[in-house]
Amino acid sequence: MRSDSFYAAIGGHDTFVRLVDEFYRGVADDPVLRPMYPEQDLGPAAERLTLFLEQYWGGPTTYSDQRGHPRLRMRHAPFKVNPDARDRWLLHMRAAVDSLDLAPMHQAQLWDYLERAAHSMLNTFDD
């Protein structure tokens, strides 16, 4: 992990845990997104997302060490990610990002990536 990374600049592990925990609080009650998580407990999904985001932003490489290349589109292919699902994902993630009280530059950088990632996961226009 580089000390000049985005990961370090926004507070490292604790910040990403807070982001992901807040995100999954919204997902837990979402009638469209919750069924996409087969596990009874959202904990394993939260851990995977935390590890992925930490690695992407310059933190530890634990995600790849444990799971290999992220291959996000492949991993999301079994799920119907339509515009409604994407928009709900963005709604919960926006609330999570806003809860962090990051510096405006960091918030914009994080949100830009998350928004692009959500749009790239779109795999159907069917309801």
Side-chain angles (χ1 to χ4, degrees):
M1 173 187 63
R2 295 185 353 242
S3 61
D4 64 341
S5 67
F6 182 88
Y7 172 83
I10 68 166
H13 179 74
D14 291 343
T15 299
F16 283 96
V17 167
R18 287 179 21 237
L19 173 72
V20 171
D21 284 352
E22 185 63 29
F23 169 72
Y24 278 109
R25 264 192 277 289
V27 168
D29 296 322
D30 190 291
V32 171
L33 297 181
R34 183 60 183 96
M36 293 185 191
Y37 297 89
E39 293 138 331
Q40 192 69 16
D41 175 14
L42 287 170
E47 182 178 344
R48 290 188 300 269
L49 181 57
T50 300
L51 293 175
F52 170 76
L53 290 172
E54 287 180 329
Q55 178 174 303
Y56 180 86
W57 291 104
T61 60
T62 311
Y63 182 93
S64 287
D65 296 344
Q66 291 179 358
R67 298 179 54 84
H69 189 281
R71 297 190 292 274
L72 294 181
R73 286 196 49 85
M74 182 199 80
R75 292 186 196 273
H76 289 82
F79 305 102
K80 184 167 72 172
V81 183
N82 62 16
D84 182 41
R86 176 204 59 208
D87 293 348
R88 288 168 178 269
W89 191 94
L90 285 168
L91 175 76
H92 300 303
M93 192 55 82
R94 180 80 248 180
V97 169
D98 289 348
S99 76
L100 297 177
D101 291 324
L102 297 176
M105 179 184 75
H106 291 140
Q107 185 178 45
Q109 189 175 355
L110 179 60
W111 183 247
D112 178 64
Y113 167 75
L114 293 168
E115 196 169 35
R116 285 185 291 112
H119 285 279
S120 73
M121 292 302 112
L122 199 65
N123 61 22
T124 185
F125 286 94
D126 295 338
D127 285 337

